[in-house]
Amino acid sequence: MHIEHLSLTNFRNYARLELSLPQQPIVLYGENAQGKTSILEALYYLATSRSPYTTSDRQLIHWRTEDDPIPFARLAADVNNRESATQRLEITLLMDKSGPVPRFKKTIKLNGVEKRVMDVVGLLTVVLFLPQDLALVEGSPSERRRFMDTTLTQVNRDYLEALDNYEKILPQRNALLRRISERQSSRKELAFWDEQLAHAGAAVIAGRQTFLRELEELAQRNHDDLTGRTETLTLKYQPSFVPTAEANGQMSFNLLGLDLHRELTAEQIEPQFLQQLEAEQNESIMRGVTLSGPHRDELRIFINERDCGLYGSRGQARTAVLALKLAELSWMRDHLGEWPILLLDEVVAELDRKRRAYLLDRLDGIAQTLVTTTELEIFTSDFLERAQVYEVIAGQISEKATP
């Protein structure tokens, strides 16, 4: 997979940008707040239709357009992948202020034809590596759920559809629970929403389980290399309820429940999820929220059978995250048949010499890679000679001779 050209209009601090991207490693160099990260954000947004840095798409539109009749931003990329010749992927963000209430609209086009998000799944895929990815070990469960969902939705259209449905159904069920609590609706209305939620949620749980089983094997290889086989990395998926192999809610040492080694299908999980929703119905009504489901799932990372988030050192956490992100890259390659685009935002400077060398040696030449940095000195001269270095100053990009 290769991005040939990136075009930005009114995106972040870029009023206008036209940038051709070579296949060699690309280093975006400059001081902070100059626009380096915005390039990575644009590519990530084109791939996922979401920003990794903000939940408000409005913030992506250049601030100078605020007084325009219709503020807008446009992102476009010419993408080459193994499935087809160059295709143009374009997203337009538009704020319509003509009515009494401003309306925000997002439009996705492929080769000029309007598409849905799921219609362009897999056309452009990325892996983003950030210094704050330590949250995968030390942060909240939502960070780890986002990691699973971002990877899976770029590769698996069925998973994307199931997650999208789940995220639409969940707030409607929660609203109904509150109305029932206030005696404004009947319990009988829950049956429809429970069935819908269980169907979508079971597909999400099954997808996450399969993903983690495959990811763990890849991550363990990386972790073995980084630690000289002195430590063992394992992943433990902890859904908010545990469906069992016998589908009777009972677990034994001989019949493990939902783990990474005894895989359950969505069809096996769905009736058990539905039973769980019915069993906790009274408490859910009292609290006004759905108590079980993928929105409450957890992923824990263990080193030598000890929870790294609770007992691991900072160094162990960094090694585990590096192993996971490289595994994510390989997992996507295995499922897509080609390498995704790799985006490294100030990551290299955060790594010690050993991890930095391992990362650059593993990545050099296998995938189109964009790296941001404020310090060129952290790279070896050999790497810089093979790379294309761009200097970014106040939203302006120019080629820079390597030192």
Side-chain angles (χ1 to χ4, degrees), residues 131-178:
Q132 49 266 48
D133 279 335
L134 278 178
L136 288 176
V137 174
E138 303 170 347
S140 67
S142 64
E143 298 287 347
R144 291 177 284 279
R145 290 194 294 269
R146 186 180 301 114
F147 164 69
M148 292 186 285
D149 292 342
T150 298
T151 307
L152 277 161
T153 53
Q154 291 188 75
V155 173
N156 189 326
R157 184 172 302 182
D158 291 339
Y159 185 90
L160 172 62
E161 187 171 2
L163 182 65
D164 184 60
N165 288 337
Y166 188 87
E167 291 178 342
K168 290 176 180 176
I169 296 165
L170 181 64
Q172 295 185 70
R173 184 180 191 270
N174 287 342
L176 176 58
L177 289 169
R178 291 190 290 271

Side-chain angles (χ1 to χ4, degrees), residues 64-284:
R64 290 183 182 276
T65 68
E66 287 184 355
D67 296 329
D68 292 352
I70 304 180
F72 79 98
R74 182 173 292 116
L75 308 80
D78 295 330
V79 183
N80 234 321
N81 61 31
R82 72 182 187 91
E83 295 292 337
S84 60
T86 303
Q87 299 192 74
R88 187 168 183 83
L89 177 62
E90 180 181 312
I91 299 180
T92 300
L93 307 174
L94 185 145
M95 179 68 72
D96 186 356
K97 301 192 296 184
S98 60
V101 178
R103 295 184 304 165
F104 194 86
K105 182 180 180 181
K106 176 163 60 180
T107 303
I108 300 173
K109 290 183 178 181
L110 178 61
N111 298 327
V113 179
E114 193 164 329
K115 299 288 185 178
R116 302 172 301 167
V117 172
M118 61 188 63
D119 293 330
V120 295
V121 169
L123 174 68
L124 172 61
T125 55
V126 299
V127 170
L128 176 64
F129 196 176
L130 307 168
Q132 49 266 48
D133 279 335
L134 278 178
L136 288 176
V137 174
E138 303 170 347
S140 67
S142 64
E143 298 287 347
R144 291 177 284 279
R145 290 194 294 269
R146 186 180 301 114
F147 164 69
M148 292 186 285
D149 292 342
T150 298
T151 307
L152 277 161
T153 53
Q154 291 188 75
V155 173
N156 189 326
R157 184 172 302 182
D158 291 339
Y159 185 90
L160 172 62
E161 187 171 2
L163 182 65
D164 184 60
N165 288 337
Y166 188 87
E167 291 178 342
K168 290 176 180 176
I169 296 165
L170 181 64
Q172 295 185 70
R173 184 180 191 270
N174 287 342
L176 176 58
L177 289 169
R178 291 190 290 271
R179 290 198 301 273
I180 295 172
S181 176
E182 296 165 359
R183 302 183 184 279
Q184 297 178 2
S185 295
S186 168
R187 285 174 179 256
K188 295 180 180 179
E189 297 179 48
L190 277 173
F192 171 80
W193 295 108
D194 285 3
E195 290 178 2
Q196 299 295 312
L197 195 74
H199 182 73
V204 171
I205 293 169
R208 287 175 177 175
Q209 183 196 22
T210 300
F211 166 64
L212 293 175
R213 176 174 53 80
E214 296 170 350
L215 187 78
E216 182 183 61
E217 182 179 350
L218 296 168
Q220 285 174 342
R221 296 176 194 169
N222 298 327
H223 198 263
D224 285 347
D225 291 343
L226 284 163
T227 63
R229 297 182 179 273
T230 59
E231 297 179 336
T232 301
L233 178 147
T234 53
L235 304 179
K236 295 190 183 296
Y237 181 31
Q238 300 173 350
S240 56
F241 84 102
V242 184
T244 63
E246 289 187 330
N248 61 4
Q250 299 181 19
M251 298 179 63
S252 71
F253 291 109
N254 295 324
L255 278 176
L256 297 177
L258 188 65
D259 57 37
L260 301 185
H261 307 288
R262 181 184 293 274
E263 190 172 346
L264 301 183
T265 66
E267 290 73 22
Q268 291 173 300
I269 296 170
E270 182 177 345
Q272 298 184 63
F273 188 10
L274 189 58
Q275 290 174 10
Q276 179 74 13
L277 294 174
E278 293 170 351
E280 61 192 25
Q281 187 179 101
N282 288 338
E283 186 177 358
S284 293

Side-chain angles (χ1 to χ4, degrees), residues 129 318 322 347-353 355-356 359:
F129 196 176
R318 289 188 187 280
L322 179 55
V347 167
V348 178
E350 295 290 322
L351 301 175
D352 60 28
R353 182 175 298 180
R355 296 185 184 94
R356 184 186 306 161
L359 175 64

